[in-house]
Amino acid sequence: MIYITRKASFNAAHKLSRLDWTEDKNTEVYGKCANPNWHGHNYQLYVTVKGEINPETGFLVDLKWLKDITNTQVVDKIDHKNLNLDVDFMKGKLASTENLAIAIWDELYALIAESGAQLHCIKIYETENNFVEYFG
């Protein structure tokens, strides 16, 4: 079993708030992240796949292919967007980094499986000190 990871970057705005809570309750729970005028991050996304090396190609998967599907399915849809308002796969979800990691997993899982590899982990750095890892 071998693991390979492709890194991508994107910028996005979001707000943490629940519509069924008051602004005061959202601020109490989410602090500055509940800012009514949004806030943004320079995210770092790591997509790790695992499997067996193809003896013919010497690859698990072609990293250009992994870059292309990550960009098409994820980065192109979220870069310089508002996660709460503009991103189809985040509609109806609280725009936490935890929920974003799960949504990205859902966007990539089947495509990676079709290649003969397995999606192992989605890791997202929201800041240099905070990151989320999701293993499905």
Side-chain angles (χ1 to χ4, degrees):
M1 179 78 57
I2 194 154
Y3 298 76
I4 61 171
T5 301
R6 175 71 193 183
K7 178 183 174 186
S9 302
F10 61 92
N11 308 91
H14 73 141
K15 173 174 64 173
L16 297 180
S17 68
R18 293 180 52 114
L19 296 175
D20 59 333
W21 288 357
T22 65
E23 189 173 328
D24 288 342
K25 174 73 173 180
N26 279 305
T27 300
E28 176 188 329
V29 173
Y30 299 119
K32 292 189 283 186
C33 294
N35 181 347
N37 294 316
W38 318 96
H39 69 283
H41 299 282
N42 300 316
Y43 292 92
Q44 300 295 313
L45 169 64
Y46 296 82
V47 177
T48 301
V49 299
K50 66 182 178 180
E52 300 298 328
I53 298 170
N54 178 326
E56 187 175 324
T57 65
F59 294 158
L60 169 58
V61 296
D62 181 342
L63 283 171
K64 182 180 181 323
W65 171 82
L66 186 57
K67 175 185 90 169
D68 290 346
I69 68 157
T70 299
N71 286 341
T72 301
Q73 298 301 120
V74 178
V75 176
D76 293 349
K77 294 179 180 181
I78 60 181
D79 189 34
H80 287 82
K81 301 284 174 49
N82 183 311
L83 298 176
N84 301 76
L85 302 175
D86 301 328
V87 179
D88 61 347
F89 61 81
M90 289 298 292
K91 293 284 188 219
K93 299 175 182 162
L94 185 73
S96 66
T97 305
E98 294 88 337
N99 286 333
L100 180 60
I102 293 167
I104 290 171
W105 176 283
D106 292 342
E107 290 295 298
L108 295 175
Y109 183 84
L111 287 169
I112 290 169
E114 287 173 13
S115 77
Q118 294 176 288
L119 184 54
H120 174 70
C121 179
I122 296 295
K123 180 189 286 189
I124 304 174
Y125 277 84
E126 184 180 67
T127 70
E128 66 181 40
N129 297 319
N130 300 328
F131 66 90
V132 168
E133 291 179 296
Y134 182 65
F135 295 90

